[in-house]
Amino acid sequence: MSRELLQNVRVLDPVSGSDRIADILIAEGNIKTVEEKIAEFPADTQVRDCQGLILGPGLTDIYSHSGEPGFEDRETLESLMQAAAAGGFTRVAILPDTSPPVDNLAGLALLQQHIRNLSPGLPHLYFWGALTAGVKGQQMAELGELASSTVVGFADGLPLSNPALVRRLLEYIKPLGKSVALWPCDRTLAGNGAVREGAVSVRLGLPGIPASAETSALAVILELVASAGTPVHIMRVSTARSVELIRDAKARGLPVTASVTWMHLLLNVGAISGNSKDSGGKNALTASLPYDPNLRLEPPLGNLSDLLALIQAVKDGVIDAIAIDHKPHTYEEKTVAFADSPPGAIGLELALPLLWHGLVETGEFSALELWRLLSAGPAVCLGQTPLTVAPGVSAELILFDPKMSWTVDGSSLKSRSANTPWLGQQLAGKVVQTWVY
């Protein structure tokens, strides 16, 4: 392996809390030296002046969706991994809602074999095992068998409507020592809603989803966690009231962690109408449709009060991590009326630059805070050791140029799908190199 010397680079390490300008020597897949100035190095070292660039540990995504197997026209495992690398993610955990779902050892083995046949140097993929057979929410999957494998934990990625089943799952999983991720959502309360209920949904003329669809389900989950004592990760937190419930649960010592998806920290429901006051100036509507179906998300974008509460919860540590929840859909699937479009958007290539410019450059977050929420925080939620930038550890790193300009389009995106409200827009900020060993 070649030796590389990165000079004058801004090094972010959320594990040590370090943010400094330094030189870093990488050799044989490991970080050899991190010093203010490295004056002596082997003659065959590739030297690179990285002034203005940012070096940090690779990012980790707690949960995203793969099209493969079953929907390869949306995304393949290889295109997903290439998109992850382009966005700075060196570790991605995939939800089991593929076709067939990852609810048995045979299906998991086939995916792992497929990954081994791909090109080297791509990000590490991990898999959530399904909580229920066929991710249908009716009966337990083969949890004991899956627990003996390499799954990072158990999650359907879909709501579970039967509290009795959730209780049994938590009791069964507790001795297995695997993570559990649950999405609080009451489908009966959500109904046929498409956006967050409130004044904006009325103005848009779109059916609303009340905040109680999330908070009532969350309250049930927290009561079951208190009873069973099983650690649980709360997925896709999107309401101000949910923040209050999680804050209280943590104060009571319940073993819960929580994540918010990246778009819920940048946009609120006002973005759907292009209202700059409601959306913080972010709007990207398609030319042919009244509302951009790429802003149809699950859970829906919150009201402005939700957005502000989520940002504060992340800063306070009530919410532990930012998830990407990358969900590819084809052009044909998404180019329909807003309420008829399948929910979800891609994000692996877009999250870091948009969060950097939307939250770091505005002074809302420090650079270290953002990196912690995208790297160390997600790793801890997955039960993994956070990556660090220190001598003697593997060089699982990314180099980010916050000023590099690029246009979001089919030629620049590595993802097979392009369902994003930023399609056609010019962004600043690009990962210029990813190291994975």
Side-chain angles (χ1 to χ4, degrees):
M1 295 183 183
S2 62
R3 294 183 179 87
E4 300 175 83
L5 176 61
L6 308 181
Q7 296 179 324
N8 305 310
V9 67
R10 182 181 178 185
V11 180
L12 299 178
D13 184 6
V15 172
S16 65
S18 172
D19 179 354
R20 58 174 174 152
I21 304 298
D23 291 358
I24 179 168
L25 180 63
I26 302 170
E28 299 174 350
N30 294 310
I31 300 172
K32 295 298 185 182
T33 311
V34 183
E35 295 179 359
E36 183 175 348
K37 191 70 176 178
I38 300 176
E40 296 183 4
F41 46 87
D44 61 349
T45 302
Q46 298 177 356
V47 181
R48 182 174 181 178
D49 185 2
C50 295
Q51 187 171 3
L53 304 184
I54 296 164
L55 183 79
L59 309 182
T60 298
D61 182 26
I62 310 177
Y63 43 87
S64 275
H65 304 258
S66 171
E68 186 179 9
F71 301 96
E72 286 82 359
D73 53 338
R74 297 175 181 169
E75 193 83 280
T76 65
L77 287 171
E78 185 169 16
S79 67
L80 184 143
M81 295 166 80
Q82 290 173 344
F89 288 86
T90 59
R91 300 184 178 192
V92 179
I94 302 299
L95 290 168
D97 57 341
T98 50
S99 183
V102 184
D103 61 354
N104 60 75
L105 289 179
L108 177 64
L110 285 173
L111 289 174
Q112 292 172 328
Q113 178 60 46
H114 181 56
I115 290 171
R116 284 192 289 269
N117 293 332
L118 297 179
S119 304
L122 291 172
H124 304 289
L125 278 193
Y126 303 90
F127 295 95
W128 288 95
L131 279 165
T132 66
V135 295
K136 294 180 178 179
Q138 297 178 1
Q139 62 184 33
M140 286 193 293
E142 297 295 336
L143 303 180
E145 289 185 1
L146 285 168
S148 65
S149 70
T150 58
V151 294
V152 291
F154 298 105
D156 273 8
L158 299 170
L160 296 177
S161 60
N162 185 343
L165 175 60
V166 175
R167 180 186 178 189
R168 290 198 300 272
L169 285 166
L170 294 182
E171 291 173 344
Y172 189 90
I173 290 171
K174 185 176 181 180
L176 299 180
K178 290 287 186 177
S179 302
V180 181
L182 298 174
W183 173 28
C185 176
D186 186 323
R187 292 289 199 192
T188 59
L189 284 172
N192 65 343
V195 299
R196 177 60 47 78
E197 184 177 85
V200 177
S201 69
V202 173
R203 187 170 72 243
L204 296 175
L206 293 170
I209 299 175
S212 58
E214 176 173 298
T215 57
S216 60
L218 175 58
V220 171
I221 290 172
L222 294 176
E223 286 299 308
L224 294 175
V225 171
S227 173
T230 307
V232 165
H233 180 77
I234 306 298
M235 306 169 64
R236 303 179 180 130
V237 178
S238 71
T239 73
R241 177 58 181 153
S242 293
V243 169
E244 294 177 2
L245 292 172
I246 295 168
R247 189 188 303 274
D248 175 69
K250 288 190 170 187
R252 291 189 287 126
L254 295 190
V256 294
T257 57
S259 59
V260 58
T261 65
W262 70 285
M263 287 179 67
H264 287 80
L265 291 176
L266 293 174
L267 304 174
N268 63 72
V269 65
I272 297 170
S273 65
N275 187 312
S276 60
K277 182 177 185 295
D278 290 334
S279 67
K282 312 284 196 312
N283 81 79
L285 304 179
T286 59
S288 59
L289 297 167
Y291 308 128
D292 187 352
N294 292 314
L295 288 168
R296 171 85 196 279
L297 305 176
E298 217 170 33
L301 292 170
N303 293 308
L304 182 58
S305 58
D306 297 315
L307 172 65
L308 297 176
L310 292 169
I311 290 174
Q312 190 61 48
V314 168
K315 292 176 67 67
D316 294 344
V318 176
I319 293 178
D320 303 88
I322 297 173
I324 306 307
D325 209 6
H326 175 91
K327 194 170 187 180
H329 288 291
T330 64
Y331 175 84
E332 291 76 15
E333 288 175 308
K334 269 294 190 179
T335 313
V336 294
F338 186 94
D340 295 331
S341 68
I346 63 170
L348 287 169
E349 298 169 78
L350 303 170
L352 178 57
L354 285 164
L355 288 169
W356 183 273
H357 288 281
L359 296 174
V360 175
E361 291 197 343
T362 60
E364 197 72 57
F365 290 177
S366 71
L368 272 178
E369 282 178 321
L370 179 61
W371 225 270
R372 173 180 61 80
L373 291 161
L374 289 171
S375 180
V380 171
C381 292
L382 288 173
Q384 299 178 347
T385 301
L387 299 171
T388 186
V389 184
V393 303
S394 176
E396 196 168 322
L397 304 165
I398 64 170
L399 191 63
F400 176 61
D401 184 346
K403 303 298 183 184
M404 179 180 286
S405 179
W406 62 291
T407 301
V408 182
D409 58 27
S411 63
S412 62
L413 290 171
K414 300 296 184 182
S415 175
R416 181 164 286 196
S417 294
N419 52 307
T420 171
W422 285 275
L423 186 65
Q425 293 194 19
Q426 190 170 53
L427 303 185
K430 187 74 172 170
V431 173
V432 295
Q433 190 168 349
T434 302
W435 290 263
V436 181
Y437 295 100

